Amino acid sequence: MVVVLVVFISLFLLLFLFLSIKFATADGDFTLMSKRSVKRDQIEDKVVWITGASRGIGEVLAKQLANLGAKLIISARNEAELERVKKQLTGKHAPDGVKVLPLDLASGEDCLRDAVEKAESFFLNAGVDFMIHNAAIERPMSSAAGKTPAPGQAVYSASKHALNGYFHTLRSELYQKGIRVTIVCPGPIETSTGSGAASSENKASSEKRVSSERCAELTIVAATHCLKEVWISYQPVLTVMYLVQYVPTVGYWLMDKIGGNRVEAAARKGNTYSISLLFGKKKAS
């Protein structure tokens, strides 16, 4: 039994190494990478509503979608920042055709209902073709932490698992009505403040991060191809996600092995995604 276990673990490590080397430059899951480019005809002249559009990935999404000819509605709590973003947009319907709709998602059901009615009344009551839920207190929408354990981020990981469950269920409930739902699960992303400066969290870390521009591009690719779920990240995160998804016993064994080292790395603001976490030294009890 011990010999079989050793052989199994050895084969797993070889597989892990192979995938990490072979797909070292990949920044998305296999299905996402196979789609290659955005379907522009799915975006041009369509109404796209983006929440959290005043900075970071939301701002980048607004710029890319404007360039693709979308009719944009941009929302966030800070109206001044939304106006700043609007002025920077260029495209078939930008900047003049861009609608600014200030919105606080924590404002209550009545306020949200009013916002939906306003959004649907824009563009001659054309309604909304794409709704991009990007707003969040800390980080938008889903995450790799919603697919795997995330040692040191238990509450954050729990919220992302819940979000995935909610939107996968919502898609199943509404699919027959023609409503499609795409869940985007990014790993570490290089985001910026409204001024364009890298965030302090990113500066302090040596983690290899996908750029906001690439994350936004792949998000639009996923939406226009109606993919149900996509993963956006570099290695080793992608490999870990595949292991947890398809070989859960091995994936969870791996996360248990690195868990304590990852918590320590997070505490000292080190690289929490490094393969070296596998080989960290154990402290004496």
Side-chain angles (χ1 to χ4, degrees):
M1 187 67 181
V2 174
V3 173
V4 173
L5 180 61
V6 170
V7 171
F8 181 74
I9 293 175
S10 298
L11 289 174
F12 149 69
L13 290 173
L14 287 173
L15 175 63
F16 184 88
L17 182 61
F18 170 77
L19 291 174
S20 296
I21 294 174
K22 184 172 179 60
F23 302 103
T25 59
D27 52 11
D29 65 78
F30 299 141
T31 304
L32 178 57
M33 292 294 94
S34 72
K35 301 307 177 183
R36 298 184 180 276
S37 60
V38 172
K39 287 185 175 180
R40 188 185 179 103
D41 62 309
Q42 297 294 309
I43 292 295
E44 190 169 12
D45 298 324
K46 300 296 194 303
V47 178
V48 182
W49 186 5
I50 309 170
T51 64
S54 62
R55 62 179 181 173
I57 295 173
E59 179 178 351
V60 177
L61 279 166
K63 292 176 180 177
Q64 293 189 11
L65 288 164
N67 286 332
L68 290 168
K71 298 176 180 178
L72 288 182
I73 304 170
I74 55 176
S75 291
R77 290 175 295 180
N78 191 323
E79 185 172 2
E81 282 297 292
L82 289 173
E83 292 291 347
R84 176 189 63 81
V85 171
K86 176 180 176 177
K87 291 177 182 178
Q88 296 179 356
L89 301 180
T90 58
K92 187 175 181 179
H93 303 285
D96 295 338
V98 175
K99 308 298 184 182
V100 171
L101 180 58
L103 176 64
D104 183 351
L105 291 177
S107 59
E109 186 175 343
D110 290 339
C111 290
L112 295 178
R113 185 180 293 108
D114 290 342
V116 170
E117 291 176 355
K118 288 180 182 177
E120 291 181 333
S121 70
F122 291 146
F123 305 109
L124 302 177
N125 293 307
V128 175
D129 297 296
F130 288 88
M131 177 79 219
I132 301 181
H133 293 280
N134 179 72
I137 294 176
E138 181 182 4
R139 301 167 187 163
M141 296 318 285
S142 194
S143 164
K147 301 299 297 182
T148 72
Q153 298 175 295
V155 174
Y156 174 73
S157 180
S159 71
K160 298 307 181 183
H161 277 79
L163 187 151
N164 286 349
Y166 175 82
F167 279 105
H168 278 306
T169 301
L170 184 69
R171 181 184 57 248
S172 297
E173 293 175 349
L174 301 178
Y175 191 86
Q176 298 299 327
K177 297 181 179 181
I179 296 175
R180 304 293 181 256
V181 175
T182 297
I183 298 176
V184 179
C185 302
I189 303 297
E190 184 72 37
T191 57
S192 63
T193 63
S195 63
S199 69
S200 58
E201 176 187 352
N202 294 342
K203 287 180 179 179
S205 173
S206 60
E207 296 161 359
K208 184 180 181 182
R209 295 171 176 260
V210 177
S211 69
S212 296
E213 290 73 19
R214 179 59 172 166
C215 182
E217 177 189 357
L218 291 175
T219 297
I220 299 170
V221 169
T224 58
H225 285 271
C226 294
L227 300 181
K228 292 178 172 62
E229 179 178 291
V230 297
W231 306 341
I232 301 174
S233 186
Y234 289 126
Q235 299 294 2
V237 177
L238 284 176
T239 298
V240 172
M241 293 175 78
Y242 269 106
L243 288 172
V244 170
Q245 180 88 357
Y246 297 109
V247 196
T249 298
V250 175
Y252 291 131
W253 169 83
L254 173 66
M255 296 309 297
D256 289 348
K257 184 171 177 58
I258 70 172
N261 296 328
R262 191 176 194 268
V263 171
E264 291 180 1
R268 63 175 184 271
K269 296 184 178 180
N271 188 340
T272 57
Y273 296 93
S274 173
I275 294 178
S276 64
L277 295 176
L278 271 171
F279 312 106
K281 294 181 179 180
K282 295 182 178 179
K283 288 189 175 181
S285 58

